[in-house]
Amino acid sequence: MGPQRIVCLTEEPTETLYALGEQHRIVGISGFTVRPPQARKEKPKVSAFTSAKIDEILKLKPDLAIGFSDIQADIAAELVRQGIEVWISNHRSVDGIVDYVRRLGALVGAASRANDYADALQRGLDEVRAQAARLPRRPTVYFEEWDEPQITGIRWVSELVGIAGGDDVFPELAQESLAKHRILADGGDVVRRAPDIILGSWCGKKFRPDKVAARPGWDAIPAVRDGELHEIKSPLILQPGPAALTEGLRAIAAIVQAWAVRRG
């Protein structure tokens, strides 16, 4: 039977539960939820990334709250003190996202459907990886998650770049789970690593290619010189849920494939 009144503190449990046909269990969602669109119309918004309306959540009488990572540790602690059961997932990789779908499905008694869905997500990843293997060249890619300070992409983003046919220029930073450990102390590091493509996904605001191109010394970067600065919408890529493995990956792959065709 599983939990019947779930508050989703981030988007990925909402997206996954809707995909599994278990949306009737959701009684509250994150205000940052955009997927699926109907969730915003049907469910009350009771949390943000680092804050939540605890009183509003308690009024919903949830039997489970689901959140993500250390970012929501304070919210989780307060809910626990109020007697609410909380699951904070901490998956940071592509494999972790696929496994998250399976675990969440099992939690609500929908293990079979969740496994089928996870298998379909995996097939999609394998298909894009196979397409990338046929590219004549692999571009180097700089993914920027934030601009002030400059923060590079988290692990699942770096892995998706690789699956799409690119090579992350900061693979060592991608292993750092905390954003503060992925801050670039010197923007000159990007110049020195000379990415062929720059992907921007500034969480909560529009990516500004002109602003990036105007940074001192960045005109020497191949991506800037060739006009290969592209935005990946943050809801597609910055939340560790199915959207990143589907639309997010396809968006990256389309840019990489177009670059490979042009550069031969």
Side-chain angles (χ1 to χ4, degrees), residues 47-75:
S47 72
F49 288 129
T50 58
S51 63
K53 302 173 183 175
I54 300 297
D55 289 344
E56 295 300 314
I57 291 175
L58 295 177
K59 288 177 185 176
L60 295 171
K61 300 187 182 306
D63 51 11
L64 179 67
I66 301 176
F68 175 69
S69 84
D70 58 290
I71 295 171
Q72 298 193 312
D74 291 342
I75 301 171

Short mmCIF file of all heavy atoms in Angstrom, two decimals, residues 47-75:
data_model
loop_
_atom_site.label_atom_id
_atom_site.label_comp_id
_atom_site.label_asym_id
_atom_site.label_seq_id
_atom_site.Cartn_x
_atom_site.Cartn_y
_atom_site.Cartn_z
N SER A 47 7.14 24.28 -0.74
CA SER A 47 8.58 24.34 -0.45
C SER A 47 9.35 24.99 -1.58
O SER A 47 8.85 25.14 -2.71
CB SER A 47 9.14 22.93 -0.21
OG SER A 47 9.20 22.20 -1.42
N ALA A 48 10.58 25.39 -1.25
CA ALA A 48 11.55 25.84 -2.24
C ALA A 48 12.76 24.91 -2.10
O ALA A 48 12.65 23.83 -1.52
CB ALA A 48 11.92 27.30 -1.99
N PHE A 49 13.93 25.33 -2.59
CA PHE A 49 15.10 24.45 -2.47
C PHE A 49 15.60 24.39 -1.03
O PHE A 49 15.91 23.33 -0.50
CB PHE A 49 16.23 24.93 -3.39
CG PHE A 49 15.97 24.67 -4.84
CD1 PHE A 49 16.10 25.70 -5.77
CD2 PHE A 49 15.58 23.42 -5.29
CE1 PHE A 49 15.86 25.47 -7.11
CE2 PHE A 49 15.33 23.19 -6.64
CZ PHE A 49 15.47 24.23 -7.54
N THR A 50 15.71 25.56 -0.40
CA THR A 50 16.31 25.60 0.93
C THR A 50 15.33 26.02 2.03
O THR A 50 15.72 26.18 3.18
CB THR A 50 17.51 26.58 0.95
OG1 THR A 50 17.04 27.87 0.54
CG2 THR A 50 18.59 26.11 -0.01
N SER A 51 14.08 26.20 1.69
CA SER A 51 13.09 26.58 2.68
C SER A 51 11.78 25.88 2.39
O SER A 51 11.55 25.41 1.27
CB SER A 51 12.88 28.10 2.68
OG SER A 51 12.37 28.54 1.44
N ALA A 52 10.93 25.84 3.40
CA ALA A 52 9.62 25.21 3.23
C ALA A 52 8.62 25.84 4.19
O ALA A 52 8.99 26.38 5.23
CB ALA A 52 9.72 23.71 3.48
N LYS A 53 7.36 25.76 3.80
CA LYS A 53 6.29 26.25 4.66
C LYS A 53 5.88 25.10 5.59
O LYS A 53 4.95 24.35 5.30
CB LYS A 53 5.11 26.71 3.81
CG LYS A 53 5.47 27.80 2.80
CD LYS A 53 4.29 28.08 1.86
CE LYS A 53 4.66 29.10 0.81
NZ LYS A 53 3.56 29.29 -0.18
N ILE A 54 6.61 24.99 6.68
CA ILE A 54 6.43 23.85 7.58
C ILE A 54 4.99 23.76 8.07
O ILE A 54 4.38 22.67 8.08
CB ILE A 54 7.40 23.92 8.77
CG1 ILE A 54 8.86 23.91 8.29
CG2 ILE A 54 7.15 22.75 9.72
CD1 ILE A 54 9.29 22.67 7.55
N ASP A 55 4.42 24.88 8.46
CA ASP A 55 3.04 24.86 8.96
C ASP A 55 2.06 24.38 7.89
O ASP A 55 1.13 23.61 8.18
CB ASP A 55 2.62 26.26 9.44
CG ASP A 55 3.32 26.66 10.72
OD1 ASP A 55 3.88 25.76 11.39
OD2 ASP A 55 3.34 27.86 11.05
N GLU A 56 2.29 24.83 6.65
CA GLU A 56 1.42 24.39 5.55
C GLU A 56 1.58 22.90 5.28
O GLU A 56 0.61 22.20 4.99
CB GLU A 56 1.72 25.20 4.28
CG GLU A 56 1.41 26.68 4.37
CD GLU A 56 -0.07 26.93 4.66
OE1 GLU A 56 -0.91 26.30 4.01
OE2 GLU A 56 -0.37 27.75 5.55
N ILE A 57 2.80 22.43 5.38
CA ILE A 57 3.05 21.00 5.18
C ILE A 57 2.33 20.19 6.26
O ILE A 57 1.67 19.18 5.97
CB ILE A 57 4.56 20.70 5.19
CG1 ILE A 57 5.23 21.29 3.94
CG2 ILE A 57 4.82 19.18 5.28
CD1 ILE A 57 6.74 21.16 3.92
N LEU A 58 2.42 20.63 7.49
CA LEU A 58 1.79 19.90 8.60
C LEU A 58 0.27 19.86 8.43
O LEU A 58 -0.37 18.85 8.77
CB LEU A 58 2.16 20.54 9.93
CG LEU A 58 3.64 20.46 10.32
CD1 LEU A 58 3.89 21.18 11.63
CD2 LEU A 58 4.11 19.01 10.40
N LYS A 59 -0.31 20.93 7.89
CA LYS A 59 -1.76 20.95 7.67
C LYS A 59 -2.19 19.89 6.65
O LYS A 59 -3.33 19.42 6.67
CB LYS A 59 -2.19 22.33 7.17
CG LYS A 59 -2.14 23.43 8.22
CD LYS A 59 -2.50 24.78 7.60
CE LYS A 59 -2.34 25.91 8.61
NZ LYS A 59 -2.61 27.23 7.99
N LEU A 60 -1.27 19.51 5.77
CA LEU A 60 -1.58 18.51 4.75
C LEU A 60 -1.56 17.09 5.32
O LEU A 60 -1.93 16.14 4.63
CB LEU A 60 -0.59 18.62 3.58
CG LEU A 60 -0.65 19.92 2.77
CD1 LEU A 60 0.52 19.99 1.79
CD2 LEU A 60 -1.97 20.01 2.02
N LYS A 61 -1.08 16.95 6.55
CA LYS A 61 -1.01 15.66 7.24
C LYS A 61 -0.31 14.58 6.39
O LYS A 61 -0.86 13.49 6.15
CB LYS A 61 -2.40 15.18 7.65
CG LYS A 61 -3.13 16.14 8.59
CD LYS A 61 -4.42 15.54 9.09
CE LYS A 61 -5.18 16.51 9.98
NZ LYS A 61 -4.40 17.05 11.11
N PRO A 62 0.92 14.86 5.93
CA PRO A 62 1.62 13.87 5.11
C PRO A 62 2.08 12.67 5.93
O PRO A 62 2.34 12.79 7.14
CB PRO A 62 2.82 14.67 4.59
CG PRO A 62 3.09 15.68 5.65
CD PRO A 62 1.73 16.06 6.19
N ASP A 63 2.16 11.52 5.29
CA ASP A 63 2.77 10.37 5.94
C ASP A 63 4.19 10.13 5.40
O ASP A 63 4.87 9.20 5.82
CB ASP A 63 1.91 9.11 5.82
CG ASP A 63 1.47 8.81 4.40
OD1 ASP A 63 2.00 9.44 3.46
OD2 ASP A 63 0.59 7.94 4.22
N LEU A 64 4.63 10.99 4.46
CA LEU A 64 6.00 10.93 3.97
C LEU A 64 6.33 12.24 3.26
O LEU A 64 5.51 12.79 2.52
CB LEU A 64 6.19 9.77 2.98
CG LEU A 64 7.60 9.63 2.38
CD1 LEU A 64 8.62 9.24 3.44
CD2 LEU A 64 7.60 8.58 1.25
N ALA A 65 7.54 12.74 3.50
CA ALA A 65 8.08 13.87 2.73
C ALA A 65 9.34 13.38 2.03
O ALA A 65 10.15 12.66 2.63
CB ALA A 65 8.41 15.05 3.66
N ILE A 66 9.48 13.76 0.76
CA ILE A 66 10.63 13.32 -0.03
C ILE A 66 11.41 14.54 -0.50
O ILE A 66 10.84 15.46 -1.10
CB ILE A 66 10.19 12.50 -1.26
CG1 ILE A 66 9.39 11.27 -0.83
CG2 ILE A 66 11.41 12.07 -2.08
CD1 ILE A 66 8.83 10.47 -2.00
N GLY A 67 12.71 14.55 -0.21
CA GLY A 67 13.55 15.66 -0.62
C GLY A 67 14.86 15.17 -1.20
O GLY A 67 15.04 13.98 -1.44
N PHE A 68 15.79 16.11 -1.37
CA PHE A 68 17.06 15.77 -2.01
C PHE A 68 18.23 16.47 -1.34
O PHE A 68 18.24 17.69 -1.21
CB PHE A 68 17.03 16.15 -3.49
CG PHE A 68 18.35 15.96 -4.21
CD1 PHE A 68 18.84 14.68 -4.45
CD2 PHE A 68 19.11 17.04 -4.61
CE1 PHE A 68 20.06 14.49 -5.08
CE2 PHE A 68 20.33 16.86 -5.25
CZ PHE A 68 20.81 15.58 -5.48
N SER A 69 19.19 15.71 -0.90
CA SER A 69 20.54 16.13 -0.54
C SER A 69 20.64 17.00 0.70
O SER A 69 19.66 17.36 1.35
CB SER A 69 21.20 16.84 -1.73
OG SER A 69 20.85 18.21 -1.78
N ASP A 70 21.87 17.38 1.00
CA ASP A 70 22.18 18.24 2.12
C ASP A 70 21.50 19.60 2.02
O ASP A 70 21.29 20.28 3.02
CB ASP A 70 23.70 18.46 2.19
CG ASP A 70 24.23 19.06 0.89
OD1 ASP A 70 24.24 18.34 -0.13
OD2 ASP A 70 24.59 20.25 0.88
N ILE A 71 21.15 19.99 0.80
CA ILE A 71 20.50 21.28 0.59
C ILE A 71 19.23 21.38 1.41
O ILE A 71 18.85 22.45 1.88
CB ILE A 71 20.18 21.48 -0.91
CG1 ILE A 71 21.46 21.56 -1.74
CG2 ILE A 71 19.34 22.73 -1.14
CD1 ILE A 71 21.22 21.54 -3.23
N GLN A 72 18.57 20.25 1.63
CA GLN A 72 17.30 20.26 2.34
C GLN A 72 17.39 19.61 3.73
O GLN A 72 16.38 19.23 4.31
CB GLN A 72 16.23 19.56 1.49
CG GLN A 72 16.00 20.29 0.17
CD GLN A 72 14.76 19.85 -0.56
OE1 GLN A 72 14.53 18.66 -0.72
NE2 GLN A 72 13.96 20.81 -0.99
N ALA A 73 18.60 19.55 4.25
CA ALA A 73 18.80 18.92 5.56
C ALA A 73 18.03 19.64 6.66
O ALA A 73 17.45 18.99 7.55
CB ALA A 73 20.29 18.88 5.89
N ASP A 74 18.01 20.96 6.63
CA ASP A 74 17.33 21.71 7.69
C ASP A 74 15.81 21.49 7.62
O ASP A 74 15.14 21.37 8.66
CB ASP A 74 17.65 23.20 7.58
CG ASP A 74 19.10 23.51 7.94
OD1 ASP A 74 19.75 22.65 8.58
OD2 ASP A 74 19.59 24.59 7.56
N ILE A 75 15.28 21.46 6.40
CA ILE A 75 13.84 21.20 6.23
C ILE A 75 13.52 19.81 6.77
O ILE A 75 12.55 19.62 7.52
CB ILE A 75 13.44 21.29 4.75
CG1 ILE A 75 13.75 22.67 4.18
CG2 ILE A 75 11.96 20.95 4.56
CD1 ILE A 75 13.57 22.76 2.67
#
